[in-house]
Amino acid sequence: MMSIEVRGLTKHYWLHGQKIAVLKGVDVAIAAGELVSLTGPSGAGKSTLLHVLGTLDTPSAGDVVMDGVDVWKQTPAAIARFRNERIGFVFQFHHLLPEFTALENVMMPGRVARRPVDEVEARARSLLGEVGLGQRVEHRPGELSGGEQQRVALARALMNEPRILLADEPTGNLDETTGRGIHEVIERLNRERGITAVVVTHNPRLAERMPRRLHLDREGLHDSAGAPAVVPATTT
């Protein structure tokens, strides 16, 4: 498990000579093992916040502290290693490699980390079994449904045993029933493995399933009850 603390996080871009502010001094604390939903209108910066937390995008200012370590003050090599070893990502578009099987796609992060092939394959098979695809390991993405492809992406995110799972609209392209199934898998993994998870969603019914709900809008980031997001909820 891993805690997250964000202090004064700011992110802006330059477009045609104009400064576009996306995140403006965001503060949030997420306790180790929490399961958190993140909602808000389009363009509020939800995906940007998730990408900065996951070290995919560099902040313009502010700190991202995980287990007492200010991640963005590390060397580029250390940041890349941290990302590969401790953070798992699930995106709205699964980004599976179409020429590879489900098993090979899930194995990819382990191969990048240069772990022993036999060990990586065994773990990939186990993870596909956990997400209900134990009988589909040799199928390529084009032979799987949208929900099955997203389950493969979820298994891939867990390959290197991350301590944080970041999911950006993981059910955005799925029907309500299939999307609920993906969320149930994430909830179970959080409960059984203790993974700290942040899930961006536009679906209020799915967001309400989460023990803690954050909302990002032009006024900033708040807990669903309207309280500042800097105090983490008590985990059970």
Side-chain angles (χ1 to χ4, degrees):
M1 296 188 291
M2 181 176 290
S3 62
I4 303 170
E5 185 176 358
V6 174
R7 299 189 292 251
L9 184 63
T10 299
K11 179 65 182 179
H12 62 257
Y13 300 95
W14 291 93
L15 181 63
H16 305 306
Q18 288 190 321
K19 184 177 178 180
I20 309 297
V22 181
L23 300 174
K24 306 172 185 177
V26 169
D27 297 304
V28 63
I30 297 172
E34 275 201 284
L35 177 57
V36 181
S37 68
L38 177 59
T39 61
S42 296
K46 301 184 300 298
S47 293
T48 299
L49 175 58
L50 215 64
H51 289 178
V52 173
L53 291 180
T55 73
L56 293 175
D57 203 355
T58 309
S60 302
D63 300 309
V64 176
V65 179
M66 298 185 181
D67 278 357
V69 177
D70 194 328
V71 178
W72 286 107
K73 287 185 169 57
Q74 309 304 303
T75 66
I79 292 172
R81 185 167 57 252
F82 181 92
R83 178 170 57 244
N84 191 46
E85 294 177 352
R86 302 196 186 184
I87 301 175
F89 296 92
V90 182
F91 301 100
Q92 180 176 354
F93 302 100
H94 47 74
H95 299 302
L96 300 178
L97 299 174
E99 67 272 26
F100 293 112
T101 65
L103 180 66
E104 291 167 333
N105 269 282
V106 175
M107 289 175 64
M108 200 64 64
R111 299 298 304 275
V112 170
R114 301 179 183 274
R115 294 168 59 183
V117 176
D118 290 348
E119 171 191 312
V120 170
E121 180 176 343
R123 177 160 175 77
R125 289 184 182 276
S126 175
L127 287 169
L128 285 167
E130 281 193 52
V131 298
L133 294 177
Q135 304 303 314
R136 309 282 272 171
V137 295
E138 299 301 332
H139 289 71
R140 288 180 169 79
E143 301 169 321
L144 301 173
S145 70
E148 289 172 332
Q149 292 178 48
Q150 197 62 297
R151 286 172 183 260
V152 173
L154 180 55
R156 180 184 58 189
L158 298 171
M159 166 51 67
N160 288 339
E161 302 182 72
R163 298 170 67 185
I164 294 175
L165 180 66
L166 302 175
D168 191 1
E169 290 286 357
T171 63
N173 292 320
L174 305 175
D175 62 79
E176 181 78 15
T177 300
T178 306
R180 185 167 57 250
I182 294 294
H183 272 256
E184 288 172 353
V185 173
I186 293 174
E187 291 166 6
R188 177 170 55 79
L189 290 167
N190 166 262
R191 183 174 62 253
E192 295 178 355
R193 293 172 175 263
I195 295 173
T196 305
V198 182
V199 182
V200 169
T201 181
H202 277 104
N203 188 320
R205 286 186 294 276
L206 293 178
E208 288 170 4
R209 294 171 60 100
M210 305 296 178
R212 187 180 179 201
R213 298 177 295 281
L214 297 175
H215 185 81
L216 180 64
D217 56 28
R218 294 178 185 234
E219 302 302 317
L221 183 66
H222 301 276
D223 271 304
S224 58
V230 294
V231 180
T234 301
T235 57
T236 57

